[in-house]
Amino acid sequence: VSRIQAAQTNLLKVFDEHIADNDTVGFMPFNHRLVETSGFEPEQVQVMERRIMRDALMRGSATARGGTAFWDALVHTSQVAAARPEVVWVIALTDGADQHSTGSFDDAFNKLRGAGLNLIIIGIDLDKQPAEYIPMMEQLCSITPMSTFINAAGGLEGLNAAVAKVAALISGGADSSGAEATEAATAEYVEHELKLTLDNLSFTLV
């Protein structure tokens, strides 16, 4: 199983098991630019449209081409979500250092902070990137008390565990005060496949 396949499987698992009808979901895939033909802006999940949205998620997450423009991805997502007050969570997935953004780290930080969004960044094997990169991710995730950076090291197992932690965090299984609640909630999710509803969720795939 490739990294892209594992990411796609986890993305679809969240959509299938934890996104209820009438929740608001958006999907914005990026490489060195926004791939507009593969994603969709936040919209309510409707019973009759659910399959269409799922197919769009599957197509848009099937391949990864080009470079990484992570700052631009976050700026774009914050601008889109700021216009939709019902969107309160952004999950951003990346596996490489930014090399192609026209904007800067400061642009991304200020836009996210201004939008008042809770940000979860899943960084896949970012230990292999320049030493300053993980601290930058952690700084981005200081914008709200509920925002967090998850370092998904260790390959596919790390990615699977990171998605489980995302579900635990959004469900309220962890607060800003400590890791024990996070680990307990994550373990409960993994063991019992805890059924959650991840309301108002926006994905940015980089």
Side-chain angles (χ1 to χ4, degrees):
V1 178
S2 70
R3 184 183 300 179
I4 291 297
Q5 289 172 322
Q8 182 186 59
T9 297
N10 278 291
L11 176 63
L12 293 175
K13 179 181 177 67
V14 170
F15 183 79
D16 291 341
E17 299 184 8
H18 309 304
I19 300 299
D21 294 335
N22 298 318
D23 285 349
T24 299
V25 178
F27 176 61
M28 285 160 274
F30 262 80
N31 41 50
H32 57 283
R33 59 179 178 78
L34 174 66
V35 187
E36 296 184 23
T37 57
S38 299
F40 52 88
E41 294 194 356
E43 58 185 272
Q44 276 196 335
V45 179
Q46 304 293 338
V47 176
M48 299 303 293
E49 304 295 328
R50 192 176 187 93
R51 171 57 62 179
I52 295 174
M53 294 179 75
R54 190 185 192 280
D55 288 346
L57 287 172
M58 182 176 293
R59 289 193 304 272
S61 60
T63 59
R65 299 187 181 92
T68 298
F70 194 55
W71 314 142
D72 286 354
L74 295 176
V75 167
H76 176 80
T77 302
S78 64
Q79 291 172 333
V80 171
R84 300 291 300 268
E86 70 274 22
V87 176
V88 296
W89 287 100
V90 171
I91 298 177
L93 178 68
T94 185
D95 66 352
D98 191 301
Q99 299 172 329
H100 294 276
S101 284
T102 58
S104 66
F105 168 86
D106 288 339
D107 292 333
F109 182 84
N110 291 329
K111 286 289 186 182
L112 287 163
R113 184 170 57 180
L117 298 163
N118 297 309
L119 173 67
I120 298 175
I121 296 176
I122 300 176
I124 304 174
D125 289 332
L126 293 187
D127 295 330
K128 301 174 183 177
Q129 302 303 323
E132 68 273 13
Y133 206 62
I134 288 179
M136 294 171 80
M137 299 295 102
E138 293 171 337
Q139 185 177 346
L140 284 171
C141 292
S142 69
I143 55 173
T144 68
M146 297 180 69
S147 298
T148 190
F149 168 65
I150 302 174
N151 187 9
L156 301 184
E157 290 185 4
L159 176 58
N160 294 337
V163 174
K165 184 174 285 189
V166 167
L169 287 166
I170 295 179
S171 71
D175 56 29
S176 59
S177 62
E180 290 186 5
T182 304
E183 297 303 327
T186 302
E188 183 179 7
Y189 175 88
V190 172
E191 182 176 355
H192 301 295
E193 292 187 342
L194 190 63
K195 300 302 180 183
L196 309 171
T197 298
L198 308 188
D199 292 326
N200 305 326
L201 190 62
S202 180
F203 290 94
T204 296
L205 185 65
V206 178

